[in-house]
Short mmCIF file of all heavy atoms in Angstrom, two decimals:
data_model
loop_
_atom_site.label_atom_id
_atom_site.label_comp_id
_atom_site.label_asym_id
_atom_site.label_seq_id
_atom_site.Cartn_x
_atom_site.Cartn_y
_atom_site.Cartn_z
N HIS A 10 213.03 -150.22 -11.68
CA HIS A 10 214.41 -150.74 -11.67
C HIS A 10 215.32 -149.62 -11.18
O HIS A 10 215.05 -148.44 -11.43
CB HIS A 10 214.85 -151.18 -13.07
CG HIS A 10 213.97 -152.23 -13.68
ND1 HIS A 10 214.07 -153.56 -13.37
CD2 HIS A 10 212.94 -152.12 -14.57
CE1 HIS A 10 213.16 -154.24 -14.05
NE2 HIS A 10 212.46 -153.38 -14.80
N THR A 11 216.38 -149.98 -10.50
CA THR A 11 217.36 -148.99 -10.07
C THR A 11 218.37 -148.78 -11.19
O THR A 11 219.03 -149.73 -11.64
CB THR A 11 218.08 -149.44 -8.79
OG1 THR A 11 217.10 -149.63 -7.76
CG2 THR A 11 219.09 -148.40 -8.34
N THR A 12 218.47 -147.55 -11.66
CA THR A 12 219.38 -147.24 -12.76
C THR A 12 219.76 -145.78 -12.66
O THR A 12 219.36 -145.07 -11.74
CB THR A 12 218.70 -147.54 -14.11
OG1 THR A 12 219.65 -147.34 -15.17
CG2 THR A 12 217.51 -146.62 -14.33
N SER A 13 220.57 -145.32 -13.62
CA SER A 13 220.92 -143.90 -13.67
C SER A 13 220.16 -143.25 -14.82
O SER A 13 219.95 -143.88 -15.87
CB SER A 13 222.43 -143.73 -13.88
OG SER A 13 222.80 -144.11 -15.19
N LEU A 14 219.74 -142.02 -14.61
CA LEU A 14 219.01 -141.31 -15.67
C LEU A 14 219.89 -141.10 -16.89
O LEU A 14 219.41 -141.10 -18.02
CB LEU A 14 218.50 -139.97 -15.13
CG LEU A 14 217.21 -140.02 -14.31
CD1 LEU A 14 216.89 -138.66 -13.72
CD2 LEU A 14 216.04 -140.48 -15.18
N GLY A 15 221.18 -140.89 -16.65
CA GLY A 15 222.09 -140.72 -17.79
C GLY A 15 222.08 -141.92 -18.71
O GLY A 15 222.10 -141.78 -19.94
N HIS A 16 222.02 -143.12 -18.13
CA HIS A 16 221.95 -144.34 -18.93
C HIS A 16 220.67 -144.36 -19.75
O HIS A 16 220.67 -144.76 -20.93
CB HIS A 16 222.01 -145.55 -18.00
CG HIS A 16 221.84 -146.87 -18.69
ND1 HIS A 16 222.80 -147.40 -19.54
CD2 HIS A 16 220.79 -147.75 -18.68
CE1 HIS A 16 222.36 -148.56 -20.02
NE2 HIS A 16 221.15 -148.79 -19.51
N VAL A 17 219.56 -143.88 -19.16
CA VAL A 17 218.26 -143.92 -19.83
C VAL A 17 218.23 -142.95 -21.01
O VAL A 17 217.83 -143.32 -22.13
CB VAL A 17 217.13 -143.57 -18.83
CG1 VAL A 17 215.79 -143.46 -19.54
CG2 VAL A 17 217.06 -144.63 -17.74
N TRP A 18 218.65 -141.70 -20.80
CA TRP A 18 218.57 -140.75 -21.92
C TRP A 18 219.61 -141.04 -23.00
O TRP A 18 219.40 -140.74 -24.16
CB TRP A 18 218.59 -139.30 -21.45
CG TRP A 18 219.88 -138.77 -20.87
CD1 TRP A 18 221.10 -138.74 -21.45
CD2 TRP A 18 220.03 -138.15 -19.58
NE1 TRP A 18 222.01 -138.15 -20.61
CE2 TRP A 18 221.38 -137.77 -19.47
CE3 TRP A 18 219.17 -137.87 -18.54
CZ2 TRP A 18 221.89 -137.13 -18.33
CZ3 TRP A 18 219.67 -137.22 -17.43
CH2 TRP A 18 221.01 -136.88 -17.32
N ASN A 19 220.75 -141.65 -22.63
CA ASN A 19 221.73 -142.04 -23.65
C ASN A 19 221.18 -143.14 -24.55
O ASN A 19 221.42 -143.14 -25.77
CB ASN A 19 223.03 -142.48 -22.99
CG ASN A 19 223.84 -141.31 -22.47
OD1 ASN A 19 223.80 -140.21 -23.04
ND2 ASN A 19 224.56 -141.49 -21.37
N ARG A 20 220.46 -144.08 -23.97
CA ARG A 20 219.85 -145.14 -24.78
C ARG A 20 218.76 -144.55 -25.69
O ARG A 20 218.63 -144.95 -26.85
CB ARG A 20 219.25 -146.22 -23.88
CG ARG A 20 220.29 -147.14 -23.27
CD ARG A 20 219.68 -148.25 -22.47
NE ARG A 20 218.72 -149.04 -23.24
CZ ARG A 20 218.12 -150.14 -22.79
NH1 ARG A 20 218.36 -150.55 -21.55
NH2 ARG A 20 217.28 -150.81 -23.54
N ALA A 21 217.98 -143.60 -25.15
CA ALA A 21 216.95 -142.98 -25.98
C ALA A 21 217.58 -142.22 -27.15
O ALA A 21 217.06 -142.25 -28.28
CB ALA A 21 216.10 -142.03 -25.11
N TRP A 22 218.69 -141.53 -26.88
CA TRP A 22 219.39 -140.80 -27.94
C TRP A 22 219.93 -141.77 -29.00
O TRP A 22 219.88 -141.48 -30.21
CB TRP A 22 220.51 -139.98 -27.32
CG TRP A 22 221.27 -139.11 -28.29
CD1 TRP A 22 222.55 -139.26 -28.72
CD2 TRP A 22 220.79 -137.93 -28.95
NE1 TRP A 22 222.91 -138.27 -29.59
CE2 TRP A 22 221.84 -137.44 -29.75
CE3 TRP A 22 219.58 -137.25 -28.93
CZ2 TRP A 22 221.70 -136.29 -30.52
CZ3 TRP A 22 219.45 -136.11 -29.71
CH2 TRP A 22 220.51 -135.64 -30.50
N ALA A 23 220.42 -142.92 -28.55
CA ALA A 23 220.92 -143.92 -29.49
C ALA A 23 219.78 -144.51 -30.32
O ALA A 23 219.96 -144.84 -31.50
CB ALA A 23 221.66 -145.03 -28.74
N ASP A 24 218.60 -144.64 -29.72
CA ASP A 24 217.46 -145.24 -30.43
C ASP A 24 217.03 -144.41 -31.63
O ASP A 24 216.45 -144.95 -32.59
CB ASP A 24 216.27 -145.39 -29.47
CG ASP A 24 216.48 -146.51 -28.47
OD1 ASP A 24 217.38 -147.34 -28.69
OD2 ASP A 24 215.74 -146.55 -27.46
N ILE A 25 217.26 -143.11 -31.59
CA ILE A 25 216.81 -142.25 -32.70
C ILE A 25 217.98 -141.91 -33.63
O ILE A 25 217.94 -140.90 -34.32
CB ILE A 25 216.15 -140.97 -32.18
CG1 ILE A 25 217.13 -140.14 -31.34
CG2 ILE A 25 214.91 -141.28 -31.37
CD1 ILE A 25 216.60 -138.75 -30.99
N ALA A 26 218.98 -142.76 -33.65
CA ALA A 26 220.14 -142.53 -34.53
C ALA A 26 219.71 -142.42 -35.99
O ALA A 26 220.21 -141.57 -36.74
CB ALA A 26 221.17 -143.64 -34.35
N ALA A 27 218.75 -143.25 -36.39
CA ALA A 27 218.30 -143.21 -37.78
C ALA A 27 217.57 -141.90 -38.08
O ALA A 27 217.69 -141.33 -39.17
CB ALA A 27 217.38 -144.40 -38.05
N THR A 28 216.82 -141.39 -37.09
CA THR A 28 216.07 -140.14 -37.29
C THR A 28 217.00 -138.95 -37.47
O THR A 28 216.73 -138.04 -38.28
CB THR A 28 215.15 -139.88 -36.08
OG1 THR A 28 214.30 -141.01 -35.90
CG2 THR A 28 214.30 -138.64 -36.31
N ARG A 29 218.13 -138.92 -36.73
CA ARG A 29 219.04 -137.78 -36.82
C ARG A 29 220.20 -138.01 -37.79
O ARG A 29 221.13 -137.20 -37.87
CB ARG A 29 219.58 -137.45 -35.43
CG ARG A 29 220.23 -138.58 -34.70
CD ARG A 29 220.50 -138.21 -33.23
NE ARG A 29 220.95 -139.34 -32.45
CZ ARG A 29 222.19 -139.77 -32.35
NH1 ARG A 29 223.15 -139.15 -33.03
NH2 ARG A 29 222.51 -140.81 -31.60
N LYS A 30 220.14 -139.13 -38.53
CA LYS A 30 221.20 -139.43 -39.49
C LYS A 30 221.28 -138.33 -40.55
O LYS A 30 220.27 -137.92 -41.12
CB LYS A 30 220.94 -140.78 -40.15
CG LYS A 30 222.06 -141.21 -41.08
CD LYS A 30 221.77 -142.58 -41.67
CE LYS A 30 222.90 -143.02 -42.60
NZ LYS A 30 222.63 -144.37 -43.18
N GLY A 31 222.47 -137.84 -40.78
CA GLY A 31 222.68 -136.80 -41.78
C GLY A 31 222.39 -135.40 -41.26
O GLY A 31 222.51 -134.43 -42.03
N ARG A 32 222.06 -135.26 -39.99
CA ARG A 32 221.77 -133.94 -39.44
C ARG A 32 222.86 -133.53 -38.46
O ARG A 32 223.54 -134.36 -37.85
CB ARG A 32 220.42 -133.94 -38.73
CG ARG A 32 219.25 -134.25 -39.66
CD ARG A 32 217.94 -133.91 -39.00
NE ARG A 32 217.85 -132.50 -38.65
CZ ARG A 32 216.81 -131.95 -38.06
NH1 ARG A 32 215.76 -132.70 -37.77
NH2 ARG A 32 216.80 -130.66 -37.75
N ASP A 33 223.00 -132.23 -38.28
CA ASP A 33 223.95 -131.70 -37.31
C ASP A 33 223.22 -131.58 -35.97
O ASP A 33 222.67 -130.53 -35.64
CB ASP A 33 224.47 -130.33 -37.76
CG ASP A 33 225.50 -129.74 -36.79
OD1 ASP A 33 225.84 -130.43 -35.81
OD2 ASP A 33 225.94 -128.60 -37.02
N ALA A 34 223.17 -132.68 -35.23
CA ALA A 34 222.43 -132.74 -33.97
C ALA A 34 223.35 -133.23 -32.87
O ALA A 34 224.10 -134.19 -33.05
CB ALA A 34 221.22 -133.66 -34.10
N GLU A 35 223.28 -132.57 -31.71
CA GLU A 35 224.16 -132.92 -30.59
C GLU A 35 223.39 -132.86 -29.28
O GLU A 35 222.60 -131.96 -29.05
CB GLU A 35 225.34 -131.95 -30.54
CG GLU A 35 226.35 -132.26 -29.45
CD GLU A 35 227.51 -131.29 -29.41
OE1 GLU A 35 227.55 -130.38 -30.28
OE2 GLU A 35 228.36 -131.41 -28.51
N LEU A 36 223.62 -133.86 -28.45
CA LEU A 36 223.06 -133.91 -27.11
C LEU A 36 224.13 -133.44 -26.13
O LEU A 36 225.19 -134.04 -26.02
CB LEU A 36 222.60 -135.32 -26.75
CG LEU A 36 221.96 -135.49 -25.37
CD1 LEU A 36 220.66 -134.71 -25.27
CD2 LEU A 36 221.73 -136.97 -25.06
N ILE A 37 223.85 -132.35 -25.41
CA ILE A 37 224.82 -131.75 -24.48
C ILE A 37 224.32 -131.98 -23.06
O ILE A 37 223.23 -131.53 -22.70
CB ILE A 37 224.99 -130.24 -24.75
CG1 ILE A 37 225.40 -130.01 -26.21
CG2 ILE A 37 226.00 -129.63 -23.80
CD1 ILE A 37 225.34 -128.55 -26.63
N VAL A 38 225.13 -132.66 -22.27
CA VAL A 38 224.78 -132.94 -20.89
C VAL A 38 225.65 -132.07 -19.99
O VAL A 38 226.87 -132.21 -19.97
CB VAL A 38 224.97 -134.43 -20.53
CG1 VAL A 38 224.60 -134.67 -19.07
CG2 VAL A 38 224.12 -135.30 -21.45
N SER A 39 225.01 -131.14 -19.26
CA SER A 39 225.77 -130.22 -18.41
C SER A 39 225.43 -130.49 -16.95
O SER A 39 224.70 -129.76 -16.31
CB SER A 39 225.44 -128.76 -18.77
OG SER A 39 224.05 -128.53 -18.67
N CYS A 40 225.95 -131.61 -16.44
CA CYS A 40 225.75 -131.95 -15.03
C CYS A 40 226.88 -132.89 -14.60
O CYS A 40 227.47 -133.59 -15.41
CB CYS A 40 224.39 -132.60 -14.78
SG CYS A 40 224.13 -134.13 -15.68
N ASP A 41 227.16 -132.86 -13.30
CA ASP A 41 228.22 -133.69 -12.74
C ASP A 41 227.69 -134.98 -12.14
O ASP A 41 228.46 -135.80 -11.64
CB ASP A 41 228.99 -132.92 -11.65
CG ASP A 41 229.62 -131.65 -12.21
OD1 ASP A 41 230.03 -131.69 -13.38
OD2 ASP A 41 229.70 -130.65 -11.47
N SER A 42 226.37 -135.16 -12.17
CA SER A 42 225.79 -136.33 -11.51
C SER A 42 224.98 -137.16 -12.48
O SER A 42 223.87 -137.59 -12.19
CB SER A 42 224.91 -135.87 -10.35
OG SER A 42 223.97 -134.89 -10.80
#
């Protein structure tokens, strides 16, 4: 499927919301594309 990688990793990060619940965890994206 044609998509953006940013969309894919954001969904993966959202999927593990329960796993990181209560933790100080942050996803940092350092790119302009």
Side-chain angles (χ1 to χ4, degrees):
H10 302 279
T11 300
T12 185
S13 70
L14 279 174
H16 175 70
V17 174
W18 69 57
N19 284 329
R20 284 184 56 175
W22 183 250
D24 287 344
I25 61 171
T28 304
R29 55 190 171 85
K30 184 178 180 180
R32 298 194 60 180
D33 182 3
E35 183 180 358
L36 181 65
I37 304 169
V38 179
S39 56
C40 61
D41 300 326
S42 52

